Amino acid sequence: MSRSALKLHTPAGRKALDKLMHEAQRKAEALAETKTAKPGKSPAARPAAAKKAAAGSGEIRIIGGQWRRKRLPVAQRPGLRPTPDRVRETLFNWLGQDLAGWKCVDAFAGTGALGFEAASRGAASVLMNELDAGLQQQLQRLQQQLQAGMVKLQRGDALSCLKSCSGQDLVLLDPPFGQAELFEPALKAAAEAINEDGYIYLEAPEAWDDGRLQAFGLSVYRYLKAGAVHAHLLRRQKN
């Protein structure tokens, strides 16, 4: 047995061994943290970076029509919820894809996903209304980028917009889910804005059945649930 091994059986030797093992463990933990952390970003910086990303830019994609597959940059805002691709695709399948000659209103335009989709599919006119000044400016930039002459932009209250419209073939209603008080007056105004054979698209956090829609003279023509989204295509009730 070597002289160094003998020292490990002494109190001083055991103390020295404990110290070496502790130091090795500390170095191993430090090395692991270095490998998992991204260069130049401390753990404290990561929440700030995530917050910045959430407030940055996103995009929407046009599903069909003349601007098919076109990707448009849009702002990301709390509560701003573009209609999902799957839901938009289903909606325009319900409507028959070709909206040539249609008059449309997108009352709560937001990112413009629904309104630009209608314009891409041949609508003769699409009035896109948005209350938020920043979003309205963004819609203007996208309109210019697409050279969408059929799209008219308006800034203001959605209910006032709907009450000023008539003879529409399609009214698009996508109120903020957190403002439940908007749904009933928006449906009432939309029902008065469409023509006899017109459609209303309603996107809501819950299902609306015929019993609930009867007060507005409307009934469900098509319905889809996709995640938290309840998508309804409504028509006038037939006598």
Side-chain angles (χ1 to χ4, degrees):
M1 187 175 291
S2 68
R3 184 178 176 184
S4 59
L6 284 172
K7 287 183 178 179
L8 295 178
H9 295 281
T10 66
R14 287 195 295 271
K15 184 176 181 181
L17 179 61
D18 290 343
K19 183 177 180 181
L20 288 172
M21 291 178 67
H22 178 75
E23 183 66 20
Q25 183 179 0
R26 186 188 65 78
K27 289 181 178 180
E29 290 174 352
L31 180 61
E33 289 180 2
T34 302
K35 288 182 178 180
T36 55
K38 291 184 179 180
K41 289 188 178 181
S42 66
R46 284 196 289 270
K51 184 177 181 181
K52 182 178 180 181
S57 296
E59 66 176 20
I60 57 172
R61 179 173 65 94
I62 303 298
I63 304 299
Q66 64 173 316
W67 303 316
R68 183 181 180 187
R69 297 192 182 95
K70 183 78 173 178
R71 295 183 180 274
L72 305 175
V74 296
Q76 292 179 331
R77 301 278 189 86
L80 187 63
R81 180 186 37 75
T83 301
D85 287 7
R86 174 195 167 194
V87 175
R88 273 187 287 134
E89 183 174 16
T90 300
L91 167 61
F92 288 94
N93 284 338
W94 290 340
L95 294 170
Q97 301 289 341
D98 185 5
L99 272 59
W102 286 35
K103 294 174 61 179
C104 308
V105 177
D106 189 356
F108 300 87
T111 63
L114 288 170
F116 285 123
E117 192 76 53
S120 180
R121 294 169 188 265
S125 67
V126 180
L127 175 59
M128 300 176 70
N129 179 81
E130 175 54 46
L131 182 61
D132 183 281
L135 293 176
Q136 201 270 347
Q137 291 173 3
Q138 175 180 268
L139 292 172
Q140 187 173 25
R141 289 192 294 270
L142 296 179
Q143 177 204 34
Q144 293 170 352
Q145 177 183 335
L146 295 170
Q147 298 181 344
M150 76 293 286
V151 172
K152 306 300 180 186
L153 301 177
Q154 177 175 304
R155 183 187 171 202
D157 172 73
L159 300 181
S160 297
C161 170
L162 290 169
K163 289 174 182 178
S164 67
C165 296
S166 62
Q168 300 298 312
D169 298 291
L170 175 63
V171 172
L172 300 159
L173 295 181
D174 183 11
F177 280 9
Q179 297 184 38
E181 70 279 3
L182 289 176
F183 284 84
E184 289 193 4
L187 279 168
K188 182 177 185 298
E192 296 172 357
I194 58 173
N195 60 36
E196 190 65 28
D197 297 318
Y199 296 90
I200 297 172
Y201 170 69
L202 172 66
E203 192 167 309
E206 59 186 354
W208 286 64
D209 59 22
D210 287 348
R212 197 173 178 187
L213 293 164
Q214 187 174 7
F216 312 107
L218 300 170
S219 62
V220 178
Y221 178 67
R222 293 285 188 272
Y223 169 79
L224 167 72
K225 183 180 186 301
V229 172
H230 293 260
H232 312 70
L233 189 60
L234 311 177
R235 302 198 74 176
R236 290 184 185 276
Q237 289 179 344
K238 300 298 182 181
N239 295 328

